[in-house]
């Protein structure tokens, strides 16, 4: 199933989209990767969803990516004597370690790791940023704050500490169990929530050991400050604009989105833009003009994927949401400005043979107007390098490893096919031409360019370029 766009679509599964028929419908509408939110999914449902996705994959004959999104450390206040309390602007409010119901003057903060790190002047944002407190005095067991932005506060509402780096692992005990379950289910990507430091990724990588790609969700100011180190240790990034917009001023989020997207592109790591992209389509069959513009901006910026959350998971129109995102992406990529933007933001290849080969393949394909760039890849690295070039020519990735083909479903511009590795040059050319022809990327008489490595079947050995004609029988000729 050939897509008419380069950017990928990541759709979240939920009550509106959990049965196999709807999963197939969403894939046909344009979804390339399915997200399973472990905040709302137990292990039995996780396995059921994976089984259904794999059944759709088998029926349609296309590799489909699966991303398990771990909940991460959820910080919340305790309970109150009443259903809720009203915090007035300018009032004093205490967060402490007393395990008893609170009132309008105090509440339990059951996170000693926060209390021990707070300093005067630090902010605490409650209930998705609706309430803002500023610390005036603090010690290891309590923090006295001044209410800067008041409002109604009820039990168990979330707490964000944008000015404080907390000495807590990004993997909670629940996350560790969910991570093991996701790896046992053979998901392709693991998303880590509330990353603060590169050590958070190192901890998860010890568990995954290459069995799944690690996607770092950038949603805290501390992560933005250490972005370069986090990119180095991650396999992909997500601009998680929901919590990022809570912990940072909203007006800063668009600039940070561009910063993260461009940094990830320079590093050749996939980047996903997420949260509220088509939010109104939870209850409406059509999006707002501003939402369409938001999706278009992410596509123009060269993001690898754009994501639907509640729109596909719990909305009334999941298929329409995916189809709308698909149409917007297709239209943007046909815009004359799109190619110019991709060209202007292209970075120089790194000083390696594989990067040089990928850059040369893109340049030759553009100059000769070739039908496709075909990459033989065992680890996925060659496909990532080809995508980093953002060529105007379609990229076909041939891999003998089904898990790699599924993982590459998240990567910009790649059409992944599970295929045996070639063991000689003639088979390499014939197989590449046949697949380009059968997948409707090339017609007889057109040319393709092939990147591969000699000796054949050796990961990380990309060192060869070949231009081949697609013959009338779909096989190759020099």
């Amino acid at each position: 199933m050939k897509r008419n766009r380069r950017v990928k679509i990541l759709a979240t599964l939920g009550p509106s989209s959990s049965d196999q028929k709807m999963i197939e419908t969403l894939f046909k509408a344009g979804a390339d990767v399915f997200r399973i939110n472990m905040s709302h999914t137990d292990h039995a449902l996780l396995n059921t969803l994976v089984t259904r996705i794999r059944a759709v994959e088998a029926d349609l004959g296309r590799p489909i990516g699966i991303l398990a999104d771990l909940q991460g450390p959820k910080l919340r206040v305790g309970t109150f004597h009443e259903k809720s309390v009203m915090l007035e602007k300018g009032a004093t409010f205490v967060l402490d370690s007393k395990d008893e119901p609170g009132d309008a003057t105090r509440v339990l903060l059951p996170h000693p790791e926060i209390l021990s790190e707070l300093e005067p002047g630090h902010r605490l944002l409650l209930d998705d940023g609706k309430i803002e407190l500023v610390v005036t005095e603090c010690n290891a067991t309590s923090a006295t704050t001044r209410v800067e932005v008041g409002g109604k506060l009820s039990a168990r509402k979330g707490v964000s500490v944008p000015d404080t780096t907390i000495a807590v692992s990004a993997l909670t005990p629940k996350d560790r169990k969910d991570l093991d379950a996701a790896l046992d289910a053979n998901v392709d990507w693991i998303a880590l929530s509330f990353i603060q430091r590169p050590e958070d990724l190192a901890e998860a990588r010890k568990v995954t050991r290459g069995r799944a790609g690690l996607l770092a969700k950038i949603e805290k100011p501390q992560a933005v400050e250490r972005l370069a180190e986090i990119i180095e240790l991650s396999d992909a990034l997500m601009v998680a604009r929901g919590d990022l917009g809570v912990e940072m001023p909203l007006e800063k989020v668009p600039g940070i989105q561009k910063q993260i997207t461009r940094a990830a592109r320079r590093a050749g790591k996939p980047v996903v833009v997420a949260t509220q992209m088509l939010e109104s389509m939870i209850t409406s069959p059509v999006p707002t003009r501003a939402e369409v513009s938001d999706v278009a901006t992410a596509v123009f910026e060269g993001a690898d994927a754009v994501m639907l959350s509640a729109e596909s998971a719990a909305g009334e129109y999941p298929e329409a949401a995916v189809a709308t995102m698909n149409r917007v992406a297709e239209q943007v990529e046909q815009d004359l400005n799109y190619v110019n933007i991709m060209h202007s933001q292209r970075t120089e290849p790194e000083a390696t043979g594989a990067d040089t080969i990928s850059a040369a393949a893109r340049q030759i394909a553009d100059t000769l107007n070739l039908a496709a760039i075909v990459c033989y890849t065992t680890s996925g690295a060659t496909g990532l390098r080809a995508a980093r070039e953002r060529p105007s020519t379609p990229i076909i990735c041939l891999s003998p490893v089904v898990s790699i083909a599924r993982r590459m479903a998240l990567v910009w511009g790649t059409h992944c096919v599970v295929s045996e590795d070639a063991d000689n040059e003639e088979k390499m050319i014939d197989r590449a031409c046949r697949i380009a022809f059968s997948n409707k990327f090339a017609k007889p008489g057109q040319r393709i360019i092939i990147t591969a490595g000699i000796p054949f079947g050796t990961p990380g050995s990309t060192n060869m370029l070949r231009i081949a004609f697609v013959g009338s029988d779909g096989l190759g000729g020099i």
Side-chain angles (χ1 to χ4, degrees):
M1 184 177 291
K2 177 186 175 185
R3 304 291 195 204
N4 294 317
R5 53 174 163 78
R6 269 57 165 194
V7 70
K8 301 301 180 69
I9 295 175
L10 204 163
T12 303
L13 298 183
S16 298
S17 53
S18 289
D19 64 87
Q20 186 171 323
K21 184 177 180 181
M22 179 54 75
I23 292 172
E24 180 175 340
T25 298
L26 295 184
F27 181 79
K28 289 180 176 178
D32 302 288
V33 180
F34 290 105
R35 170 179 174 255
I36 300 173
N37 187 350
M38 298 308 298
S39 297
H40 309 295
T41 308
D42 60 26
H43 297 172
L45 180 56
L46 166 70
N47 289 320
T48 297
L49 292 174
V50 170
T51 299
R52 290 172 181 170
I53 294 168
R54 295 305 181 217
V56 171
E57 179 183 72
D59 289 344
L60 299 180
R62 294 288 308 130
I64 301 175
I66 302 176
L67 180 144
D69 194 337
L70 303 185
Q71 177 177 285
K74 286 287 186 180
L75 310 176
R76 302 183 185 278
V77 298
T79 60
F80 295 93
H81 286 292
E82 305 295 332
K83 186 176 180 180
S84 63
V85 298
M86 181 62 68
L87 301 186
E88 302 291 344
K89 177 178 171 60
T92 297
F93 190 69
V94 177
L95 299 104
D96 57 38
S97 56
K98 297 176 183 176
D99 190 5
E100 54 190 57
D103 53 31
T105 64
R106 63 155 296 277
V107 73
L108 166 68
L109 183 62
H111 302 287
E113 65 274 13
I114 297 181
L115 292 172
S116 64
E117 297 295 336
L118 287 174
E119 297 177 7
H122 283 195
R123 292 169 296 153
L124 293 100
L125 306 176
L126 311 183
D127 193 9
D128 287 336
K130 296 182 181 71
I131 296 172
E132 180 178 338
L133 311 176
V134 174
V135 177
T136 55
E137 298 178 32
C138 55
N139 56 47
T141 59
S142 70
T144 302
T145 70
R146 181 180 64 254
V147 180
E148 288 293 315
V149 178
K152 186 171 70 173
L153 180 63
S154 54
R156 307 293 184 190
K157 288 300 183 181
V159 180
S160 297
V161 281
D163 305 322
T164 312
T165 299
I166 310 169
V168 60
S169 169
L171 287 177
T172 66
K174 169 180 164 52
D175 292 330
R176 290 179 181 276
K177 293 177 182 177
D178 290 346
L179 175 56
D180 288 337
L183 293 172
D184 289 342
N186 293 319
V187 306
D188 308 297
W189 289 94
I190 300 291
L192 300 178
S193 299
F194 302 110
I195 292 293
Q196 295 185 94
R197 55 181 81 82
E199 290 81 0
D200 295 335
L201 286 156
E203 182 180 356
R205 195 169 289 284
K206 291 178 183 177
V207 181
T208 59
R209 299 195 304 275
R211 288 180 287 169
L214 281 182
L215 182 148
K217 294 169 66 177
I218 308 300
E219 49 197 335
K220 293 184 73 66
Q222 294 85 352
V224 176
E225 291 170 5
R226 303 187 68 178
L227 183 62
E229 298 168 86
I230 289 171
I231 289 176
E232 183 71 24
L233 287 180
S234 67
D235 299 306
L237 298 179
M238 179 186 291
V239 189
R241 303 181 302 179
D243 283 285
L244 196 59
V246 170
E247 300 224 0
M248 304 189 76
L250 283 172
E251 61 272 17
K252 289 188 176 183
V253 173
I256 292 171
Q257 176 178 317
K258 288 183 178 292
Q259 175 190 346
I260 296 170
T261 302
R262 295 183 181 190
R265 284 189 53 191
R266 284 194 299 271
K269 303 285 180 77
V271 58
V272 181
V273 176
T275 315
Q276 296 182 327
M277 302 212 80
L278 296 175
E279 184 85 354
S280 68
M281 292 194 74
I282 295 173
T283 55
S284 169
V286 294
T288 66
R289 277 68 171 167
E291 288 167 342
V292 170
S293 181
D294 181 38
V295 174
T297 296
V299 178
F300 271 123
E301 192 65 25
D304 288 77
V306 285
M307 191 179 99
L308 295 167
S309 300
E311 303 96 326
S312 60
E316 298 175 23
Y317 307 96
E319 180 184 0
V322 174
T324 297
M325 188 168 268
N326 182 72
R327 288 196 305 274
V328 172
E330 287 181 350
Q331 188 62 45
V332 168
E333 293 182 9
Q334 292 170 19
D335 193 286
L336 293 176
N337 290 315
Y338 181 75
V339 174
N340 293 334
I341 292 171
M342 293 301 101
H343 176 75
S344 65
Q345 293 183 5
R346 187 173 291 133
T347 57
E348 290 298 315
E350 295 180 11
T352 67
D355 273 272
T356 305
I357 290 287
S358 296
R362 187 267 309 161
Q363 187 174 9
I364 293 168
D366 285 349
T367 303
L368 299 181
N369 194 27
L370 303 184
I373 298 169
V374 181
C375 305
Y376 281 86
T377 181
T378 302
S379 66
T382 302
L384 286 170
R385 289 187 177 99
R388 180 176 180 263
E389 290 293 315
R390 295 296 191 265
S392 55
T393 307
I395 304 168
I396 303 173
C397 289
L398 308 184
S399 180
V401 184
V402 65
S403 61
I404 294 300
R406 291 167 174 165
R407 201 178 298 181
M408 294 294 292
L410 188 69
V411 180
W412 185 96
T414 55
H415 177 86
C416 304
V417 177
V418 179
S419 172
E420 293 181 7
D421 214 343
D423 54 17
N424 62 59
E425 193 170 337
E426 183 179 355
K427 287 183 180 178
M428 176 196 78
I429 294 172
D430 284 345
R431 186 168 295 157
C433 290
R434 175 169 46 81
I435 290 174
F437 172 76
S438 63
N439 283 264
K440 300 181 180 180
F441 285 93
K443 299 176 182 178
Q446 290 186 310
R447 291 177 293 177
I448 63 172
I449 190 165
I450 306 161
T451 70
I454 295 178
F456 291 102
T458 304
S461 65
T462 302
N463 56 12
M464 184 179 69
L465 280 175
R466 287 298 303 268
I467 298 173
F469 277 98
V470 177
S472 58
D473 54 0
L475 299 180
I478 299 174

